[in-house]
Amino acid sequence: MNTPKKNIFLLTVLFLFTMTASVFAQDAPKPKPSPAATATGKVGAANITIAYSSPAVKGRKIWGGLEAYGKPWRAGANEATTFTTDKDIKVEGKTLKAGKYSVFMVPGETEWQVIFNTETGQWGTKRGGGANFDPANNALTVTVKPKKLTQLNERLVYDITNKGFSLKWEYVEVPVAIK
């Protein structure tokens, strides 16, 4: 036999169950817009690791649009991209000592600068915009030529090969030679 007290008790239990399920459902992890990624490989005897966050194009104009030509950029999203080598290497013919560096780039239509900075662990941009690095901590800056790609790279990706590394995003590849 149903009594008013029993009905109120059942409704209360149902309500609490529904609310608990809603709270736990909200805690489910959501995919990050720019997920963390890592590229690893060997160039000669050196072990190379590049840790970055991988933004997507999402229909935007990237080079000369979202990322302005002639302005330093964090070479990824979120925290500054890091580059680690366990041996001294030659980057575009210039010596880079073994260690961990933040990588910043200055995009250009016909050439790019790639900057290895000794400060690591910082957020990639300053409050209000601009790349978050102190040029006084630059260990090495090299100039490279970008390549146009015919196929869209929706997500930013770094590739490490036995000849160096390259950044690919949108319709651009930025190869950097290492020996």
Side-chain angles (χ1 to χ4, degrees):
M1 178 170 196
N2 282 342
T3 66
K5 284 184 181 182
K6 194 174 188 182
N7 287 342
I8 291 173
F9 174 77
L10 289 174
L11 286 174
T12 303
V13 168
L14 181 61
F15 174 77
L16 291 174
F17 176 77
T18 303
M19 293 308 294
T20 302
S22 295
V23 168
F24 283 112
Q26 290 176 7
D27 288 342
K30 295 178 176 80
K32 292 183 178 183
S34 300
T38 303
T40 58
K42 267 183 113 63
V43 180
N47 292 298
I48 308 289
T49 301
I50 302 173
Y52 61 101
S53 291
S54 178
V57 173
K58 297 189 236 176
R60 303 174 291 187
K61 176 179 171 57
I62 302 301
W63 311 116
L66 179 66
E67 302 305 337
Y69 290 129
K71 296 202 180 203
W73 168 62
R74 60 185 156 188
N78 305 326
E79 295 87 359
T81 294
T82 60
F83 178 96
T84 306
T85 175
D86 65 348
K87 304 263 189 284
D88 293 357
I89 55 175
K90 294 271 189 186
V91 180
E92 295 291 328
K94 297 179 181 179
T95 301
L96 183 67
K97 296 283 186 194
K100 184 175 183 178
Y101 302 89
S102 289
V103 177
F104 294 88
M105 296 186 182
V106 180
E109 291 185 62
T110 59
E111 65 181 26
W112 287 45
Q113 286 184 331
V114 181
I115 303 163
F116 297 86
N117 188 280
T118 58
E119 180 183 2
T120 61
Q122 74 274 32
W123 193 253
T125 57
K126 296 176 187 174
R127 185 180 292 249
N132 189 16
F133 73 101
D134 180 352
N137 294 325
N138 289 355
L140 179 66
T141 301
V142 297
T143 301
V144 297
K145 301 270 185 213
K147 295 180 179 179
K148 296 280 184 196
L149 299 173
T150 56
Q151 197 164 10
L152 174 70
N153 281 283
E154 176 64 27
R155 286 218 167 267
L156 181 147
V157 66
Y158 282 91
D159 287 325
I160 299 173
T161 69
N162 62 355
K163 295 181 180 181
F165 73 91
S166 63
L167 171 146
K168 296 176 186 173
W169 194 24
E170 195 198 40
Y171 292 100
V172 171
E173 176 180 7
V174 182
V176 180
I178 297 176
K179 290 186 180 183

